[in-house]
Amino acid sequence: MSSTPTSGKILLVDDEPDILEILEYNLTREGYEVFTASNGEEGLKRAEAVEPDLIVLDIMMPIMDGVEVCRQLRAKPKFKNTIITFLTAREEDYSQIAALDNGGDDYITKPIRPRVLLSRIKALLRRNERSESQEEVTSISIGDLVIDLEQVVVRRGKETIELAKKEFDLLTLLASKPGKVFSRDEIFNRVWGTDVIVGNRTIDVHIRKLREKLGEHYIKTIKGIGYKFVF
């Protein structure tokens, strides 16, 4: 009799059968309930059916690429907080930035090392569990902004501003102590976790997206150190 998976559901979407096979094998051994899809369109349907805790998306796929899959998933309320990590070719900066721009939480470069992937997945899931357990504060109000921690949205007057999960986490951190300068290392550790390795441009991409959605004046760059929230 097989043991009941306790670590969560993971959806793997990749058009390379060998990659799907080795990742499914390694993740299943760790106790995850694993589902697979071989193209983006199939991945969307599979996600709707199983509602996974984490999705691993290859970027370059037939029918529908991973970035478009992510964009469509993030447009659905039930996938707003689902963890999405991408598989990208090494040094493929454009794809990595596009992945983060469209709601991705992280990316992993190919060739894939199963142990590295497992470590990243465990770290992402742990980080998500910690975020969900912090329920004592339900909102942060600063000036004309209200950051609703329960509904994971930002409101400015009657306007609702939709943010990707990591954008929201980053804004919440900065707004938790207005005027405090958060170093890049502190932001990495508290938003992505100490055991998650992300690209050097990750923070910059998320800050840029926040400024596009909120306005330039809320987040100030402190050259050579990091960022702070101002109002």
Side-chain angles (χ1 to χ4, degrees):
M1 182 181 295
S2 60
S3 60
T4 302
T6 58
S7 299
K9 295 186 288 186
I10 296 177
L11 172 62
L12 306 172
V13 188
D14 198 298
D15 62 323
E16 297 184 51
D18 291 346
I19 289 179
L20 285 180
E21 183 178 354
I22 192 169
L23 295 186
E24 182 178 14
Y25 171 77
N26 281 275
L27 290 168
T28 301
R29 284 187 61 186
E30 290 293 315
Y32 295 105
E33 187 177 5
V34 182
F35 304 87
T36 64
S38 58
N39 62 63
E41 190 173 85
E42 183 185 348
L44 271 179
K45 294 177 182 177
R46 200 77 160 132
E48 287 279 1
V50 305
E51 297 188 23
D53 301 294
L54 184 146
I55 301 173
V56 180
L57 284 173
D58 187 30
I59 286 189
M60 301 302 294
M61 292 187 293
I63 303 178
M64 183 185 297
D65 65 41
V67 172
E68 179 59 26
V69 173
C70 182
R71 184 184 296 116
Q72 291 195 29
L73 288 173
R74 289 300 192 215
K76 301 174 185 289
K78 67 179 177 179
F79 294 113
K80 187 174 182 61
N81 296 320
T82 302
I83 303 167
I84 298 177
T85 187
F86 284 88
L87 302 179
T88 73
R90 189 179 300 278
E91 303 302 332
E92 198 174 43
D93 288 347
Y94 172 80
S95 293
Q96 293 161 3
I97 291 172
L100 296 172
D101 272 352
N102 287 279
D105 294 298
D106 195 11
Y107 62 83
I108 299 165
T109 55
K110 296 180 178 181
I112 302 163
R113 290 175 290 171
R115 287 187 179 180
V116 172
L117 179 71
L118 283 170
S119 176
R120 299 277 279 275
I121 284 175
K122 288 178 180 177
L124 286 165
L125 288 170
R126 283 198 300 270
R127 183 74 188 177
N128 202 48
E129 287 169 1
R130 289 197 293 270
S131 297
E132 290 176 353
S133 67
Q134 297 171 348
E135 298 178 349
E136 55 274 8
V137 178
T138 60
S139 66
I140 299 173
S141 298
I142 302 177
D144 59 348
L145 286 182
V146 176
I147 303 170
D148 190 321
L149 304 179
E150 291 187 328
Q151 296 186 24
V152 196
V153 297
V154 176
R155 298 186 179 88
R156 181 166 48 202
K158 295 182 178 180
E159 177 190 11
T160 297
I161 303 168
E162 298 288 343
L163 301 179
K165 186 176 187 301
K166 280 294 181 279
E167 293 168 9
F168 185 86
D169 292 344
L170 175 55
L171 176 63
T172 300
L173 173 63
L174 296 176
S176 67
K177 294 184 178 180
K180 169 182 165 60
V181 178
F182 288 88
S183 70
R184 293 177 67 86
D185 285 344
E186 185 175 5
I187 293 171
F188 271 129
N189 292 341
R190 296 183 61 178
V191 176
W192 281 271
T194 56
D195 44 5
V196 176
I197 303 169
V198 295
N200 291 331
R201 296 188 180 184
T202 300
I203 291 180
D204 301 327
V205 169
H206 283 74
I207 291 290
R208 175 170 58 81
K209 296 297 288 184
L210 282 175
R211 285 171 171 161
E212 288 174 359
K213 294 178 180 181
L214 300 176
E216 295 285 335
H217 60 286
Y218 289 105
I219 300 173
K220 183 176 181 181
T221 301
I222 308 302
K223 191 173 181 180
I225 302 177
Y227 300 92
K228 70 176 181 179
F229 187 92
V230 295
F231 65 99

